[in-house]
Amino acid sequence: MPAASARRLAAVKAAPVPDKRDAILRAAIKVFARHGYFQSQVAAGTVYLYFRSKDDLLVSIFDRTMKDAIAEGRAALAGIADPSERLRRIARLHLARLGRDRDLAVVVQVELRQSIKFMERFSSTHLQDYLNIIRRTIADGQATGAFRSDVNANTAAKVFFGALDEMATNWMLSRRKYDLAGDADAVTNLIIGGLGR
């Protein structure tokens, strides 16, 4: 075998195999968004080599989305001392993430919320970690005197998340096409105004 052919064959063998689990998750997001979680059918076969059930698929979508959001948030906030700028960065990342992928927004904003079982699980897992990033940012602002100390940091974090959540839901349901991340500053300014001294 000529050396060039051997090198090409070695390169093909060494090329990374597409991540089947990730491909299945991306396909599930599209199917759940277009047909609804409860109306969607999951074919047997390869899917069940990676996921135990359709419920496990939905849980995995949420877990991956939240892990990615938390990791991206922590990286983006590293080195930013100003709590107002940190809140602004959180808002921009949150809305940009959902604004990039309408199908993901539908699954996260609608499909995950149609079952108390799912909501209870999600509220006690990564969502708490995400809210803690916001809460710590607000508490840091209170400790430095940038934000009012008479506002409960947990409540303020939930209000901030709730405002972002509502903006994402409104964008997803809107017939207008607009940049969702463009709403980040308005939401942040409103919250900072309420937290301001």
Side-chain angles (χ1 to χ4, degrees), residues 20 34 63 84 94 100 130 165 195-196:
K20 292 268 192 204
R34 308 253 165 98
D63 285 346
S84 295
H94 184 103
R100 281 191 305 268
Y130 191 75
D165 193 58
L195 288 170

Side-chain angles (χ1 to χ4, degrees), residues 20-93:
K20 292 268 192 204
R21 184 173 164 71
D22 184 61
I24 292 167
L25 284 175
R26 283 186 280 114
I29 288 168
K30 185 176 287 191
V31 170
F32 293 163
R34 308 253 165 98
H35 303 288
Y37 171 75
F38 291 105
Q39 290 74 37
S40 297
Q41 299 294 318
V42 176
T46 305
V47 172
Y48 290 112
L49 294 175
Y50 297 90
F51 302 95
R52 292 184 304 274
S53 63
K54 187 168 82 166
D55 286 359
D56 188 32
L57 261 173
L58 187 62
V59 168
S60 296
I61 290 167
F62 179 80
D63 285 346
R64 185 184 76 169
T65 300
M66 291 307 296
K67 283 179 185 174
D68 289 351
I70 289 167
E72 183 181 27
R74 287 185 175 141
L77 298 178
I80 300 176
D82 177 34
S84 295
E85 184 53 35
R86 283 167 51 198
L87 285 179
R88 195 170 307 285
R89 186 69 59 93
I90 290 167
R92 288 176 181 158
L93 289 171

Side-chain angles (χ1 to χ4, degrees), residues 7-19:
R7 281 194 300 274
R8 278 196 300 274
L9 182 58
V12 169
K13 287 181 181 178
V17 176
D19 184 353

Side-chain angles (χ1 to χ4, degrees), residues 99 102-103 170-181 183:
R102 191 174 206 87
D103 288 340
N170 185 62
W171 171 83
M172 183 206 57
L173 296 174
S174 175
R175 294 178 189 264
R176 295 182 306 117
K177 301 288 185 212
Y178 62 94
D179 177 25
L180 176 58
D183 290 336

